[in-house]
Each structure stands twice: as structure tokens, then as C-alpha cells.
């Protein structure tokens, strides 16, 4: 599963410059704005237009997403960012550990930050893979960078597991690697 966001840009730069064979790769993005395609455009520009991935193997959240993932044999690797408020994908505080792909309401703080980054108004709703969808992935890498993420990263890794910090549910997964700078 693939994340969008500024944290991921150097990752996709590395991948598109590495002369890798994507012809057999299947990708499932973590989230997208409802009725929007900003994240699809981000992925096209950052990665998909530069590599030999097959168009039919690129997936974005939609109805039946979890069944589609199961049909594909599950997810080997999930690369996650983390929001300043501890969200993963668009699972905002209050998200259930049992959540699957669904329409979600975005936090006001998420909308403000994402508007600042994109220069566009952020929609109020998105479709996001759920916490359970993410925890089903065999291996998870979480990336976070900068002072503004410090509190979210500390809560996620060392505080009690709680829906107040959705990333704290990652403590229940047996194969999570944190890359923090
Ligand atoms: C976004 C996305 C997440 C992303 C996170 C962090 O809103 N929904 O998938 O990981 O927030 O973004 P950034 O890397 O820009 O800080």
C-alpha cells in the first residue's frame, strides 16, 4: 500500500530513479479525496508515469477495496506517513481499530495543513483504507520527518494504544519499522 504526502516524495524519487521492474507490481493507495483525484495525480507525477507499472495493477480506494486486496493475495508491504494529529492514511482520531475502507470526515487540522501544502482547498471528505486494512498488511514501514511530527510519533510508539492516536494501533502489529528523522 502506498501513501501520498510530502514525506513520500524522496521515496518516490528514489524508486523512479532506480531502474526497477514494476511490470508485476500491484499497488493499492491508502486514500483519496472523495470525488477527487489529487492523490492519483500526485502518484502519477511522482511515480507511475516514470516506471513500467501496468495501468490495471494500480488501485485507489473504492467500494469493495478490501475484497479486492484479499483477491490479490493481500498486501506484502505498506509504506505509511503519519499526520501531525497521529492519523495514518485518513484514519483520523476516533477511528476504530476494526475499520475497513470507507468514507471519512477529515479533521479541521488536517484540512488546514493539507491546504497549506497543496495550495488548494482540501475537501471535507475522503475515502480511506481502515486501520484493520492496514494492520492486515504483512510488513509496515512508517516514515516521519521534522519537529512537527515528534509528538505524534512518540504517542504512536510509546503511549497507550488508543483511538486518540490512530497510529498507536501499529503497536499491535508484529512487523513495523519506523524511519524517523
Ligand atoms: C496526509 C495523508 C497521509 C499522509 C499524512 C502525512 O494527509 N492522508 O497518507 O501520510 O497526511 O502527510 P505529510 O507527509 O505531507 O506530512
Amino acid at each position: 500500500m502506498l501513501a501520498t504526502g510530502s514525506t513520500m516524495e524522496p521515496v518516490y524519487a528514489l524508486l523512479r530513479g532506480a531502474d526497477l521492474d514494476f511490470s508485476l507490481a500491484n499497488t493499492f493507495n491508502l486514500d483519496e479525496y472523495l470525488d477527487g483525484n489529487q492523490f492519483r495525480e500526485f502518484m502519477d507525477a511522482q511515480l507511475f508515469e516514470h516506471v513500467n507499472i501496468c495501468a490495471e495493477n494500480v488501485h485507489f480506494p473504492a467500494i469493495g477495496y478490501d475484497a479486492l486486496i484479499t483477491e490479490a493475495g493481500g498486501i506484502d508491504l505498506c509504506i505509511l506517513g503519519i499526520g501531525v494529529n497521529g492519523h495514518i492514511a485518513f484514519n483520523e482520531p476516533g477511528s476504530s481499530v476494526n475499520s475497513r475502507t470507507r468514507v471519512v470526515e477529515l479533521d479541521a487540522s488536517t484540512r488546514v495543513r493539507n491546504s497549506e501544502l497543496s495550495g488548494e482547498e482540501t475537501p471535507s471528505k475522503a475515502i480511506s483504507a481502515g486501520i484493520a486494512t492496514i494492520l492486515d498488511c504483512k510488513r509496515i514501514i512508517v516514515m516521519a520527518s521534522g519537529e512537527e511530527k515528534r509528538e505524534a510519533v512518540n504517542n504512536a510508539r510509546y503511549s497507550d494504544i488508543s483511538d486518540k492516536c490512530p497510529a498507536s494501533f501499529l503497536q499491535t502489529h508484529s512487523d513495523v519499522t519506523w524511519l524517523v528523522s
Side-chain angles (χ1 to χ4, degrees), residues 109-122 148:
S109 62
T110 300
R111 294 182 68 196
V112 168
R113 184 174 183 279
N114 285 12
S115 294
E116 280 167 6
L117 289 179
S118 68
E120 292 171 32
E121 201 184 329
T122 301
E148 63 168 356

Side-chain angles (χ1 to χ4, degrees), residues 3-8 30-31 33 39 80-83 87-90 110 113-114 117 148-149:
T4 53
S6 50
T7 311
M8 296 301 137
L30 285 156
D31 45 19
Y33 294 119
F39 287 179
L80 285 178
I82 180 171
H87 72 219
I88 45 176
F90 270 139
T110 300
R113 184 174 183 279
N114 285 12
L117 289 179
E148 63 168 356
K149 301 286 177 72

Side-chain angles (χ1 to χ4, degrees), residues 5 30 38-39 42 73 76 79 93 127 136 152 155 166 177:
L30 285 156
Q38 288 182 33
F39 287 179
F42 174 94
D76 294 319
I79 303 177
I127 177 161
D136 276 352
N155 285 338
T177 303

Side-chain angles (χ1 to χ4, degrees), residues 9 12-13 16 37-51 60:
E9 289 181 16
Y12 297 134
R16 65 178 182 259
N37 60 354
Q38 288 182 33
F39 287 179
R40 172 72 207 220
E41 285 174 2
F42 174 94
M43 290 304 303
D44 285 345
Q46 293 285 322
L47 184 66
F48 298 146
E49 280 169 6
H50 307 277
V51 298
F60 276 75

Side-chain angles (χ1 to χ4, degrees), residues 144-150 180-181:
S145 164
E147 189 56 38
E148 63 168 356
K149 301 286 177 72
R150 181 192 292 272
V180 179
S181 66

